[in-house]
Amino acid sequence: MNLEAGNVCSVRLAVGETVRITNGPGDQVIDTWAFNANDPTEFMGMEHCRAWWLKLRPEVGDSFVTNRHNPLLKMVADTSAGEHDTVIACCNPDRYRVLGAEEGHANCQENLHRELSEQGMASAVTPCPLNLWMNIPSVGSNGLGREVPTKKPGSYVELEALAPALVVFSACPMDLLPINGVDGPKDGVRVEVI
Ligand SMILES: [Zn+2]
């Protein structure tokens, strides 16, 4: 399926199934969450993953664990420059309010919960997402940068399910900061179970 900028979609994966997310010109950040398909109180936790990885960004071969430290997904391919962020919270209404946007700005948090509802699920929390193609480099010994995505048109990431999962993708609508490129979000991505 095609996921347009600002929109949300999800896929259900059985064990061993893989979803491929293919970017367009390389400027669109995709906020990605994964939940235990049978229990949404268990979800992929970036802070839990980093406890195992001891690094900021995932690489091919790395597994993603849940808030209960059970393996849920595995990155099995990545043809991008690997600039995926695991640190920054998803955009939400308050983020846009403080940045001065008009009320009602599309945001990833509401996208997530709307998609969960459409899938008959709910979560009391908004986990920190895996921000695919979001370029937050580490700087010096204790800094983070905020850069535009590294353009690599058509690059893709593949995530394999290690347990039954509902994976949610929000094509981030952020247009007040240049995380989606200086022109803002404009290009969708392709999401397919392969
Ligand atoms: Zn967002």
Side-chain angles (χ1 to χ4, degrees), residues 23-103:
N23 215 324
D27 274 357
Q28 179 63 58
V29 167
I30 304 295
D31 289 42
T32 302
W33 297 268
F35 294 82
N36 178 329
N38 302 309
D39 178 3
T41 66
E42 182 173 24
F43 49 82
M44 181 170 71
M46 290 299 99
E47 61 272 52
H48 307 82
C49 291
R50 291 193 302 269
W52 293 100
W53 302 339
L54 296 176
K55 57 187 177 185
L56 291 174
R57 288 176 289 281
E59 299 173 270
V60 171
D62 287 335
S63 295
F64 298 86
V65 298
T66 68
N67 54 322
R68 294 178 197 146
H69 289 282
N70 296 313
L72 186 58
L73 296 179
K74 181 177 183 179
M75 181 176 279
V76 293
D78 180 11
T79 68
S80 77
E83 71 282 24
H84 313 298
D85 168 65
T86 69
V87 175
I88 306 295
C90 74
C91 62
N92 66 11
D94 291 306
R95 179 71 158 148
Y96 288 106
R97 173 181 55 79
V98 174
L99 286 172
E102 292 192 8
E103 200 171 330

Side-chain angles (χ1 to χ4, degrees), residues 31 90-91 96 107-109 170-174 179:
D31 289 42
C90 74
C91 62
Y96 288 106
N107 62 87
C108 290
Q109 178 171 293
S170 176
C172 184
M174 173 58 76
I179 61 159

Side-chain angles (χ1 to χ4, degrees), residues 56-57 85 87 135-147:
L56 291 174
R57 288 176 289 281
D85 168 65
V87 175
N135 193 1
I136 305 291
S138 50
V139 176
S141 64
N142 190 30
L144 292 174
R146 181 165 51 225
E147 306 290 341

